[in-house]
Amino acid sequence: MKRTQIKDALQSTNYNNPITIAGWVRTKRDSKGGFSFIELNDGSSFQNIQVIADESIPNYTSDILKLTAGCSIAVQGTLVESPAQGQSVEVKANSVSVIGLADPESYPLQKKRHSFEFLRQIAHLRPRTNTFGAIARVRNALSFAIHQFFQDNGFFYLHSPIITGSDCEGAGEMFRVTTFDLNNIPRVDGAIDFSQDFFGKSTNLTVSGQLEAEIYALALGNVYTFGPTFRAENSNTSRHLSEFWMVEPEMAFCDLQQDCETAEKFLKFIIRETMEKCPDEMAFFNKFIDNQIVETLGHILNSPFEIIPYKEALAMLQKANVTFEYPLGWEHGFQAEHERYLTEELVKKPVIIIDFPKEIKAFYMRRNDDGQTVAAMDILFPHIGEIVGGSQREERYDVLKNRILELGLHIEDYWWYLELRQFGSVEHAGFGLGFDRLVQFISGMKNIRDIIPFPRTPQNADF
RNA sequence: UCCCCUGUAGCUCAGUCGGUAGAGCGAGUGGCUGUUAACCACUAUGUCGUUGGUUCGAGUCCAACCGGGGGAGCCA
């Protein structure tokens, strides 16, 4: 079907010319004057278009009067200026063909507000609502902005593997990948014989593309991954998913300071782009989801991020006259309440904490000269806490090897990671951004399960 | 995994002291109207999450289980 998207029809001034549109009926109002108003949405924009259908259309009584929310129709007609308030253009229909009916007695979406918990149970229909349509378009705009930023700044998009044989990712519980018959698992002396499994070894779904990104950064310079990531943690919160999307840039010839600068530039670019591309969606979120969100985002765009070493941030929190539920201490790290107090009350803008105690950070982060801290950074946003975590990577062979041994990790698993430090090693750095959490933040939505189209969480993999 | 809350009509919820169930929205029918969260009138909603227990009697009290939500931890 050749059709005009409603997004384009609404912006057109090509009045009194033929137009074909198609979409799903949001609501219909009948006039006994012999015509009906149909609010039609095709997903191309937040806005509906109003269709005027009158009784001169042959199937007016048989079809049009029976239309209800959820029906799909195609309309041929004329784009006209609207004589009434509320919309500038509308479509005067010459013909309306019903493509698919939706029985109002059983169609779950009503012309009223539904709870997000209810909509989660009908994930196949929820994208037809204002909120979930808006989220899908914001997700798209944000994805595109991410690619645009990196492509414009000399990064290559890297497809890091989904299935990994590395045991050394160490970022949480992993999902096993196997083709074994679970009722008959091959064993040798009681132990599972992975040599008979599909890959001839134990494999899992990736928890991070960072280590692979380092490989390519040390060949192409700047790369980024943007793909799904899997964590088998039994965490049941509004901020966790078992399957989520992560962005991980990695840059060669780059230290922690440049890493922070890039991350700040990156975040500001993708937020600004998304706000500019989705004004209707942002206005909706600000009105119905979180009436602070546009202000909060504007504040972030206009504030230089404040870089504070962990040691100083700790001192600031200890000096603050506040009782926290969890104790503060060099070795404790910061809890969510500490992070939020720091960025919301003490600094009142985004904060980048750097130089963390080495004990609370990963083995691959570069040891600082003080011997106590590593060149790590966390970016904290008001109201949400950590949005980005990154570091300069340890590029010195001996230092990295000693750290792996010190932590009792299996050194043989890291042979290729260590070889990168033996052959043309250079300083490099990167960071990770939880994509869904950023969508959550930008939209003001409370639960990450309402941010991703089909959430996977413990005990839930429906649709 | 731990703590707290919750489960009643299609949806959102009320239901007092234990006495066999209610509202709004949605739906249907009729009326009215260039309407736009339309409006007005009327009509029908039901295994009160499941199982068991206490009681003359349980939506209500007790126990277990199941589902949902919030918070914490882990993290992105």
Side-chain angles (χ1 to χ4, degrees):
Chain A
M1 182 192 312
K2 267 188 83 174
R3 66 184 175 102
T4 301
Q5 288 199 314
I6 287 172
K7 168 187 66 165
D8 298 323
L10 288 167
Q11 283 167 4
S12 173
T13 51
N14 193 17
Y15 301 128
N16 305 315
N17 280 310
I19 190 170
T20 300
I21 56 174
W24 293 270
V25 174
R26 283 295 177 83
T27 179
K28 176 186 59 112
R29 297 174 291 275
D30 300 320
S31 166
K32 278 298 181 294
F35 51 95
S36 298
F37 303 95
I38 303 166
E39 292 283 334
L40 198 65
N41 188 288
D42 68 357
S44 63
S45 88
F46 188 85
Q47 306 284 341
N48 306 324
I49 200 163
Q50 177 164 279
V51 174
I52 316 302
D54 69 39
E55 59 191 352
S56 67
I57 298 171
N59 61 344
Y60 182 75
T61 310
S62 59
D63 287 343
I64 294 172
L65 282 180
K66 292 176 181 160
L67 290 175
T68 53
C71 294
S72 50
I73 61 171
V75 177
Q76 288 185 316
T78 310
L79 188 75
V80 297
E81 282 184 276
S82 177
Q85 298 292 312
Q87 59 280 318
S88 55
V89 298
E90 60 191 32
V91 172
K92 176 95 171 63
N94 297 325
S95 78
V96 173
S97 52
V98 178
I99 301 171
L101 291 169
D103 175 16
E105 291 283 3
S106 52
Y107 184 60
L109 290 176
Q110 303 171 351
K111 196 176 56 181
K112 57 167 287 191
R113 200 162 178 171
H114 292 288
S115 69
F116 293 135
E117 291 80 8
F118 171 68
L119 292 172
R120 248 170 252 161
Q121 296 163 25
I122 50 168
H124 59 308
L125 296 172
R126 67 178 186 171
R128 298 189 193 179
T129 64
N130 284 335
T131 302
F132 288 89
I135 287 164
R137 286 184 295 272
V138 163
R139 241 185 120 88
N140 171 73
L142 190 61
S143 300
F144 190 79
I146 286 167
H147 285 295
Q148 192 182 344
F149 176 86
F150 288 127
Q151 295 296 322
D152 288 351
N153 285 281
F155 286 73
F156 294 98
Y157 179 27
L158 173 71
H159 296 127
S160 53
I162 305 293
I163 297 172
T164 174
S166 300
D167 279 337
C168 52
E169 304 203 19
E173 294 295 311
M174 302 172 89
F175 288 100
R176 178 169 298 285
V177 175
T178 182
T179 53
F180 277 155
D181 174 358
L182 296 184
N183 295 312
N184 186 21
I185 298 172
R187 290 176 184 273
V188 177
D189 297 334
I192 295 171
D193 181 11
F194 285 109
S195 70
Q196 293 189 49
D197 203 353
F198 188 87
F199 294 106
K201 64 189 291 193
S202 170
T203 49
N204 296 288
L205 295 179
T206 184
V207 292
S208 165
Q210 180 199 315
L211 302 189
E212 289 87 356
E214 284 189 52
I215 295 173
Y216 270 77
L218 295 178
L220 300 187
N222 295 342
V223 301
Y224 67 105
T225 72
F226 183 7
T229 308
F230 307 87
R231 303 274 169 93
E233 301 285 355
N234 187 15
S235 37
N236 222 311
T237 80
S238 56
R239 302 178 307 283
H240 288 85
L241 292 165
S242 306
E243 176 184 283
F244 62 99
W245 287 66
M246 190 152 67
V247 180
E248 294 177 293
E250 192 73 28
M251 296 161 279
F253 312 106
C254 179
D255 62 14
L256 187 68
Q257 191 191 331
Q258 291 171 280
D259 197 33
C260 294
E261 286 168 9
T262 304
E264 178 173 348
K265 229 175 98 185
F266 168 69
L267 284 169
K268 285 178 172 172
F269 177 83
I270 61 178
I271 291 171
R272 181 176 289 115
E273 273 295 303
T274 302
M275 292 177 80
E276 283 174 8
K277 291 277 167 55
C278 301
D280 291 342
E281 285 77 7
M282 292 310 301
F284 172 80
F285 292 139
N286 203 59
K287 188 170 178 190
F288 289 106
I289 306 295
D290 176 354
N291 54 27
Q292 302 274 297
I293 193 61
V294 169
E295 187 188 332
T296 301
L297 291 171
H299 179 61
I300 284 168
L301 293 183
N302 294 319
S303 306
F305 293 8
E306 182 105 359
I307 296 182
I308 306 175
Y310 179 89
K311 195 174 176 179
E312 286 177 30
L314 181 63
M316 288 169 72
L317 286 165
Q318 284 169 332
K319 250 191 327 200
N321 195 18
V322 193
T323 313
F324 293 110
E325 189 183 341
Y326 290 87
L328 280 161
W330 177 257
E331 69 286 356
H332 291 317
F334 295 145
Q335 303 292 330
E337 59 171 347
H338 304 136
E339 293 178 345
R340 290 192 54 173
Y341 190 80
L342 190 68
T343 181
E344 287 168 29
E345 303 296 330
L346 292 175
V347 184
K348 295 184 193 294
K349 56 183 170 179
V351 172
I352 309 182
I353 300 179
I354 59 168
D355 298 338
F356 285 79
K358 65 174 195 268
E359 292 77 15
I360 61 174
K361 287 293 184 182
F363 75 94
Y364 53 74
M365 297 186 177
R366 191 180 196 276
R367 196 188 67 195
N368 287 324
D369 291 342
D370 61 14
Q372 303 303 307
T373 60
V374 291
M377 63 100 162
D378 279 359
I379 301 184
L380 310 180
F381 273 5
H383 308 301
I384 190 169
E386 184 182 339
I387 188 81
V388 158
S391 70
Q392 185 173 342
R393 322 305 188 189
E394 183 57 78
E395 86 285 9
R396 296 163 295 189
Y397 177 81
D398 291 334
V399 179
L400 181 62
K401 185 180 169 189
N402 288 338
R403 186 63 179 151
I404 290 172
L405 292 172
E406 199 177 8
L407 292 171
L409 303 171
H410 300 289
I411 192 116
E412 58 276 11
D413 291 339
Y414 298 89
W415 67 271
W416 54 266
Y417 196 66
L418 282 162
E419 274 201 2
L420 292 174
R421 275 73 180 168
Q422 287 181 301
F423 306 133
S425 186
V426 301
E427 60 177 5
H428 60 290
F431 59 87
L433 167 78
F435 177 74
D436 311 275
R437 283 193 182 170
L438 187 60
V439 178
Q440 188 180 2
F441 179 64
I442 288 177
S443 63
M445 292 288 286
K446 297 290 176 288
N447 198 315
I448 202 166
R449 296 168 194 205
D450 301 323
I451 285 304
I452 195 163
F454 305 102
R456 272 80 180 94
T457 54
Q459 298 300 312
N460 177 23
D462 290 338
F463 300 97

